Amino acid sequence: MKSSKLARAAARGMTLIEIMVVLVILGLIASAVAVNVIGRQKEAELKKAATDVQNIANQGVDAFRVMRGRYPSTEEGLRILIQEGFLKANQPDGSIKDPWRNDYVYLYPGQKNPDGFDVKSNGPDGQPGTEDDIVNY
């Protein structure tokens, strides 16, 4: 008889309280994952922008100078580096944008490097001259 009671209890399934406990546990796990992923996303965007700025400066501008004997002008900007194959565009329109969909800034002569050039991203806020700018100098 005892085994038939156990069989009926098992056949009934889970109680409402058991289901609620499972949902609370899943919610806690999901919130912990979301907090970690969002923090990592911002960190990854900053690192990508810093890497892009250095690649533009080294593989683009410096390589152009070695091959052409001069730096690109501010007017030529990064466009000439893409056209001549020194850099690869990361947008369908043939431009290079930072992780926040803003154009990278190229200046020659540079404001910070008057004897050279400046390459920078205006950072997450998109505003020039703020503390979150990412620069090659």
Side-chain angles (χ1 to χ4, degrees), residues 56-91:
I56 291 168
N58 297 334
Q59 296 173 4
V61 180
D62 283 339
F64 182 91
R65 184 178 151 271
V66 168
M67 296 297 289
R68 303 289 184 264
R70 65 176 181 88
Y71 288 118
S73 68
T74 299
E75 292 76 29
E76 291 172 320
L78 302 178
R79 184 182 69 255
I80 195 167
L81 300 175
I82 296 167
Q83 289 171 348
E84 295 197 14
F86 291 98
L87 294 175
K88 186 175 179 183
N90 65 4
Q91 298 297 307

Side-chain angles (χ1 to χ4, degrees), residues 40-54 56 90-91 95-105 120-126 132-134:
R40 299 285 186 218
Q41 176 70 24
K42 290 178 183 177
E43 184 180 321
E45 288 171 341
L46 291 170
K47 285 183 180 179
K48 178 172 182 359
T51 301
D52 285 352
V53 164
Q54 291 307 315
I56 291 168
N90 65 4
Q91 298 297 307
S95 65
I96 301 176
K97 295 197 183 280
D98 66 17
W100 306 280
R101 301 282 187 235
N102 299 312
D103 290 323
Y104 285 101
V105 178
K120 71 176 189 169
S121 164
N122 290 325
D125 67 2
D132 67 348
D133 291 358
I134 299 163

Side-chain angles (χ1 to χ4, degrees), residues 103-115:
D103 290 323
Y104 285 101
V105 178
Y106 170 76
L107 299 170
Y108 176 74
Q111 292 173 338
K112 297 287 184 177
N113 294 312
D115 295 333

